[in-house]
Amino acid sequence: MNLVFLGPPGAGKGTIAALAKERLSLLHVSTGDLFRSNIKEKTELGKKVEQILASGNLVPDEVTIEMVRERLKKDDAENGYILDGFPRTIAQADALKEMAKLDAVVNFVLSKEEILKRLSGRRVCKSTGRTYHIIFNPPKVEGKDDETGEDLIQRDDDKEDAILNRLDVYEKSTAPLIDYYRAAGLLVDIDASKTPEKVLEEMIAKLG
Ligand code: ADP
Ligand code: ADP
């Protein structure tokens, strides 16, 4: 099964993908995680995109599409995957049509108020990418990753200016994909306001 997780930043796509990949035995491909790991490893791609991510703007389509095309060619993508954070523009969705056959596009629906609470409280472990929330999903020891004990950080793009920019970018460039995929008969709306376990159950029930 090939799924796309669509939704505003902070809606819980990464959190649900981490649960769903175990339950449904799917590969989790997060374009945000791929960019961040390139930045951490200081690759050419990482250097090119670092400032773009910090500002909350989108990486150019050609760069993003090429990265996903290469990732989906690998053997581990053969048995199905969750694309988390891709596509984010109509051009990316058109390119994806040529690369993959999708079974469904899961649209995470959440109010702006809740999105702001989730993004401003998000903390991550830089090396493992594990995601926490200071109130909704706190680590066992404040400020430390549960498994490695490393310090948790706030992403640069989870600071106020970048958050507001990302929400604008979402409305302008990504929200049009809701109609795009509804017209294609692929869209499955999910109420993302519940607990992660309930969101996962609703999604699995709706996917049949
Ligand atoms: P979020 O938590 O907001 O959903 P992601 O981790 O998915 O964030 O993405 C972080 C950043 O990586 C984006 O703000 C953007 O700069 C870049 N990015 C991720 N996916 C894409 C994409 N499909 N197209 C362009 N840029 C992307
Ligand atoms: P996205 O990948 O869509 O940007 P994340 O999965 O990173 O979103 O979640 C954003 C923040 O909200 C994180 O701090 C995460 O711990 C928290 N979160 C995710 N899902 C839920 C939920 N169902 N209820 C409460 N908080 C959540």
Side-chain angles (χ1 to χ4, degrees):
M1 180 159 55
N2 297 332
L3 301 175
V4 163
F5 281 10
L6 180 66
K13 302 179 298 296
T15 300
I16 303 305
L19 298 172
K21 76 169 188 184
E22 305 293 336
R23 272 285 285 275
L24 305 174
S25 303
L26 297 172
L27 175 73
H28 175 198
V29 178
S30 156
T31 41
D33 285 349
L34 289 173
F35 287 132
R36 280 184 292 274
S37 87
N38 274 278
I39 292 171
K40 204 169 119 229
E41 303 299 329
K42 301 196 190 318
T43 66
E44 282 309 308
L45 173 63
K47 287 180 206 157
K48 203 177 335 180
V49 304
E50 185 164 16
Q51 287 312 314
I52 303 177
L53 263 83
S55 69
N57 291 326
L58 293 182
V59 174
D61 284 333
E62 346 39 289
V63 176
T64 307
I65 290 165
E66 205 36 48
M67 181 179 75
V68 172
R69 194 193 307 281
E70 289 307 311
R71 184 62 191 89
L72 294 186
K73 273 188 201 158
K74 295 194 179 159
D75 292 348
D76 58 356
E78 264 173 20
N79 298 320
Y81 45 79
I82 298 169
L83 280 173
D84 162 13
F86 182 92
R88 265 174 151 98
T89 63
I90 300 274
Q92 292 178 13
D94 286 340
L96 181 60
K97 220 190 275 179
E98 309 300 317
M99 297 180 221
K101 191 184 165 323
L102 296 179
D103 295 286
V105 174
V106 181
N107 180 35
F108 285 65
V109 179
L110 192 67
S111 71
K112 190 164 173 187
E113 205 187 342
E114 288 304 315
I115 290 170
L116 291 173
K117 280 191 214 159
R118 287 191 185 178
L119 287 176
S120 56
R122 175 159 64 186
R123 298 292 182 272
V124 297
C125 174
K126 216 171 173 179
S127 71
T128 64
R130 234 188 313 275
T131 301
Y132 300 85
H133 190 284
I134 51 174
I135 298 164
F136 307 137
N137 177 28
K140 292 183 189 126
V141 176
E142 195 182 326
K144 304 284 180 196
D145 183 69
D146 286 350
E147 274 168 40
T148 65
E150 286 167 89
D151 286 340
L152 301 181
I153 57 148
Q154 185 172 37
R155 279 168 45 179
D156 283 337
D157 58 349
D158 280 344
K159 295 177 184 160
E160 196 177 342
D161 285 354
I163 287 181
L164 296 176
N165 186 35
R166 283 155 75 211
L167 291 175
D168 279 349
V169 168
Y170 170 77
E171 284 303 328
K172 280 199 202 94
S173 303
T174 307
L177 291 177
I178 296 174
D179 284 341
Y180 178 105
Y181 282 122
R182 205 188 302 281
L186 288 171
L187 203 76
V188 175
D189 285 317
I190 294 289
D191 174 3
S193 70
K194 312 238 178 73
T195 62
E197 293 69 27
K198 285 196 174 146
V199 175
L200 178 70
E201 291 314 322
E202 181 184 339
M203 183 187 87
I204 289 173
K206 285 191 169 166
L207 291 176

